[in-house]
């Protein structure tokens, strides 16, 4: 089954066996270890302290509750996670496998955002909409990020923007800033 954008596989949480969720926790730890050069030797154990890892884990729980239609609790989990990690992920957002948020302070992922597999986000990344005056309720308002994408520090992706299935966007912020300075 594909999502509405066709980029990110959409699968109901009810279809995932419990063992698969345990594998995903292990995958999160492994991907953090592989992608962060600071984790080596005895420092490798520090991976369990990474706020990006905890934000992803908390999001998975909140997302399951969100999809089940549980009121209030998913948002409470996301807001508590935001308070502890400085990473805000709306419970309605779809996050793929092996997503790693490195130095995650200031990361914001909106309700209708879709993030593919093997995506890496650095601090300050925003996957947001344009605002209440431009985004209709019930519509897809946030971007879709494909598989194997890296979004560098401070990248801002808004509206229903979509990345290529496989792309590196580490210089997104520089391009975006330059583009808007030229237009102004």
């Amino acid at each position: 089954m594909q999502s509405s954008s066709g980029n990110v596989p959409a699968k109901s949480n009810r279809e995932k066996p419990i063992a698969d969720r345990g594998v995903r926790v292990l995958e999160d730890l492994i991907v953090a270890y592989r992608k962060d050069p600071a984790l080596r030797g005895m420092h490798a154990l520090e991976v369990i302290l990474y706020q990006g890892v905890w934000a992803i884990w908390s999001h998975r729980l909140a997302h399951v509750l969100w999809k089940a239609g549980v009121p209030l609790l998913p948002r409470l989990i996301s807001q508590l996670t935001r308070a502890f990690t400085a990473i805000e992920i709306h419970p309605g957002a779809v996050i793929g496998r092996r997503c790693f948020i490195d130095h995650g302070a200031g990361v914001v992922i909106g309700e209708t955002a879709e993030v593919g597999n093997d995506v890496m986000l650095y601090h300050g990344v925003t996957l947001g909409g344009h605002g209440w005056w431009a985004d209709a309720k019930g519509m897809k308002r946030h971007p879709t990020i494909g598989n194997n994408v890296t979004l560098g520090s401070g990248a801002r992706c808004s509206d229903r923007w979509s990345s290529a299935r496989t792309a590196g966007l580490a210089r997104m912020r520089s391009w975006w800033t330059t583009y808007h300075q030229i237009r102004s």
Side-chain angles (χ1 to χ4, degrees):
M1 178 192 303
Q2 290 281 321
S3 69
S4 59
S5 66
N7 266 355
V8 181
K11 193 174 187 183
S12 165
N13 285 315
R14 294 179 192 157
E15 298 172 24
K16 298 174 190 167
I18 298 295
D20 186 41
R21 292 183 186 166
V23 167
R24 291 205 179 176
V25 167
L26 186 58
E27 274 184 344
D28 293 332
L29 294 172
I30 291 169
V31 76
Y33 178 78
R34 287 183 178 162
K35 290 188 175 185
D36 191 343
L39 291 173
R40 61 188 182 285
M42 289 302 292
H43 296 288
L45 298 175
E46 294 174 6
V47 72
I48 63 170
L49 303 175
Y50 275 31
Q51 74 254 35
V53 171
W54 282 99
I56 294 290
W57 290 345
S58 297
H59 169 72
R60 288 206 185 116
L61 173 61
H63 187 68
V64 168
L65 296 170
W66 178 267
K67 297 286 278 184
V70 175
L72 191 64
L73 188 56
R75 288 292 285 176
L76 177 62
I77 291 169
S78 72
Q79 293 304 303
L80 289 173
T81 301
R82 176 181 163 207
F84 287 111
T85 66
I87 298 169
E88 182 176 351
I89 306 174
H90 191 284
V94 176
I95 308 284
R97 295 178 81 153
R98 297 173 302 277
C99 177
F100 178 51
I101 302 172
D102 194 13
H103 302 284
V107 169
V108 177
I109 302 175
E111 177 185 10
T112 60
E114 299 174 65
V115 177
N117 297 324
D118 303 301
V119 170
M120 184 159 178
L121 307 174
Y122 286 94
H123 66 279
V125 169
T126 300
L127 305 180
H130 274 120
W132 61 268
W133 59 91
D135 296 331
K137 290 186 183 283
M139 301 289 293
K140 177 154 175 64
R141 305 178 312 278
H142 301 92
T144 296
I145 305 301
N147 298 328
N148 304 307
V149 174
T150 297
L151 293 177
S153 301
R156 304 286 190 265
C157 307
S158 61
D159 201 11
R160 293 167 298 279
W161 180 86
S162 294
S163 74
R165 282 184 181 247
T166 303
L169 297 174
R171 294 194 176 107
M172 177 73 179
R173 182 171 189 230
S174 300
W175 172 84
W176 190 256
T177 303
T178 304
Y179 173 75
H180 283 287
Q181 286 171 348
I182 291 170
R183 288 188 64 196
S184 300

